[in-house]
Amino acid sequence: MTNTSLRASIFYIDFLRFIAVIAVIIIHVLGPFRFLYLQIPNADWLAAMGYNSMTRWAVPLFIMLSGALLLSSSKPFNAHYYLKNRLLKVVVPFLGWTLIYALVSAFMSTGSFVENATSLIMNAPKEPTWYHLWFFYDFIPLYFVIPFLAPILKKLTPEHIQLLVVVFFLLFLMHFLKVQSFLQQNLILYSGYLILGWYLFNRDNCPQLKYWLIAGLTMLLLNFFGSWFLAMENGAYSSFFMGYKSLNTLLISAMLFVLAQSYADKITGKMRAFIKIISKYSLGIYLIHPLLLIPVRELTNGVYAIFPNNWIAIPVITFCVLLLSLCCIILCSKIPFVRRLVP
């Protein structure tokens, strides 16, 4: 499975990208409702909080997939190839969409368009120009960790690797429990997702599937009922269980990885083909979908009100945005210059 020539045939990787990008859209569709506890009907808030608590594994799963594939490469490291064909394929879209969203944000803001756009672009090294672009600020530095991490992992014994995985589990638990440590930095903790993805990718996890299921499903229930309990206790939404660098998110992400490994190949026919298409354009969909959500997330436009409740509105809107984003990205991919922004 570590041979790079086989990766195109590993369908569960496509499936994981597919569910991860859908989960990201769900999180952004429900976004306007999270902090409206006691301000909207309880069922609508509970739907938004519920979907949110069930999908926080999306970004960690993307990082795990990068670790699974890039750390498993059997090719000798070539700095020029890596920088050109790996790093730039992420950096160029990030820079391009940073500029696009800076212009969109400036257009939507009051005051001088030029001044607003200039301010956003000048602040871009410190702050994303749109909410979803934060991901790249943590993800791009990982590309400089991977070339050093890969040869180290190849030399470790299975026992050392298992110990390393346990260490990262403990670090995530410490972060979740607010135990302060200099080790709790984004670069280190997100590197844990890289290693976990690589670890699960290169072994048969079927014998441990039931344990991953127990752990992951327990954490999903904890996310939902724990967040509900904290809202009732505090009278406001709490993101305590929603962190990307918490043990519960780590366990849920690992459970989904192992589940896909075990069962994704049972998907056949048109659904399999559709999943592969979404997987192929997943980064482009991630980048463009917030543009389509601008009129949707403005509650005064009444898009959510079309539906009986948010339990129905959120998944239906998500599916529509997914399809529209896919169409836009496929169209953009056919335009010579623009295609570099939608890999």
Side-chain angles (χ1 to χ4, degrees), residues 27-329:
I27 291 169
H28 295 156
V29 168
L30 63 83
F33 296 98
R34 282 183 299 168
F35 297 96
L36 297 181
Y37 181 64
L38 300 179
Q39 300 177 48
I40 59 175
N42 190 57
D44 283 339
W45 178 83
L46 198 59
M49 185 281 296
Y51 283 124
N52 189 44
S53 68
M54 298 294 113
T55 53
R56 301 305 294 187
W57 42 264
V59 166
L61 201 54
F62 277 126
I63 299 175
M64 287 177 65
L65 292 174
S66 295
L69 298 178
L70 295 179
L71 290 175
S72 298
S73 176
S74 58
K75 295 180 180 179
F77 178 72
N78 181 297
H80 180 265
Y81 174 85
Y82 186 80
L83 293 173
K84 179 181 178 182
N85 294 279
R86 297 295 187 193
L87 185 59
L88 283 184
K89 283 189 175 181
V90 178
V91 172
V92 170
F94 165 64
L95 294 177
W97 285 96
T98 290
L99 177 60
I100 291 170
Y101 280 106
L103 298 176
V104 171
S105 182
F107 178 77
M108 295 175 61
S109 302
T110 57
S112 169
F113 171 80
V114 174
E115 289 181 3
N116 289 335
T118 302
S119 176
L120 286 165
I121 293 169
M122 294 299 292
N123 287 327
K126 298 180 293 182
E127 187 175 348
T129 57
W130 208 260
Y131 56 83
H132 70 308
L133 294 177
W134 73 267
F135 169 66
F136 292 90
Y137 289 76
D138 286 322
F139 185 64
I140 289 174
L142 294 176
Y143 271 79
F144 295 95
V145 173
I146 289 169
F148 298 98
L149 196 54
I152 295 173
L153 292 174
K154 289 176 183 177
K155 292 183 179 297
L156 294 178
T157 65
E159 287 75 17
H160 283 116
I161 292 168
Q162 290 176 4
L163 178 61
L164 185 61
V165 170
V166 170
V167 167
F168 275 104
F169 270 72
L170 290 175
L171 287 175
F172 274 78
L173 178 61
M174 289 170 63
H175 180 85
F176 181 65
L177 297 176
K178 310 297 183 184
V179 178
Q180 296 301 315
S181 168
F182 73 94
L183 293 173
Q184 292 174 18
Q185 300 300 319
N186 287 0
L187 190 65
I188 294 175
L189 289 177
Y190 283 134
S191 294
Y193 279 116
L194 291 176
I195 294 171
L196 181 59
W198 171 85
Y199 175 74
L200 295 176
F201 180 75
N202 287 285
R203 67 193 304 270
D204 178 15
N205 300 291
C206 288
Q208 294 82 36
L209 176 59
K210 63 180 180 181
Y211 302 112
W212 288 114
L213 276 172
I214 292 170
L217 292 175
T218 300
M219 292 301 104
L220 281 172
L221 292 172
L222 178 64
N223 279 7
F224 181 82
F225 290 104
S227 298
W228 191 2
F229 173 78
L230 289 179
M232 291 188 293
E233 283 291 302
N234 303 324
Y237 167 78
S238 171
S239 60
F240 177 77
F241 292 101
M242 309 298 182
Y244 295 127
K245 301 183 291 292
S246 58
L247 182 63
N248 52 332
T249 303
L250 181 76
L251 289 170
I252 295 167
S253 303
M255 176 195 70
L256 291 170
F257 196 103
V258 175
L259 266 177
Q261 244 182 355
S262 303
Y263 294 109
D265 273 332
K266 295 184 180 296
I267 301 171
T268 59
K270 293 182 179 179
M271 187 62 191
R272 190 182 184 98
F274 177 67
I275 289 171
K276 286 187 174 183
I277 292 173
I278 297 296
S279 171
K280 178 181 177 181
Y281 294 105
S282 58
L283 179 56
I285 293 170
Y286 180 94
L287 286 164
I288 203 172
H289 79 271
L291 281 179
L292 303 178
L293 283 175
I294 291 173
V296 176
R297 285 167 58 99
E298 180 54 59
L299 297 183
T300 57
N301 289 336
V303 176
Y304 298 92
I306 296 172
F307 304 91
N309 53 63
N310 276 348
W311 289 107
I312 298 173
I314 291 169
V316 172
I317 293 172
T318 295
F319 182 70
C320 293
V321 170
L322 175 70
L323 293 183
L324 286 172
S325 298
L326 176 62
C327 292
C328 291
I329 290 303

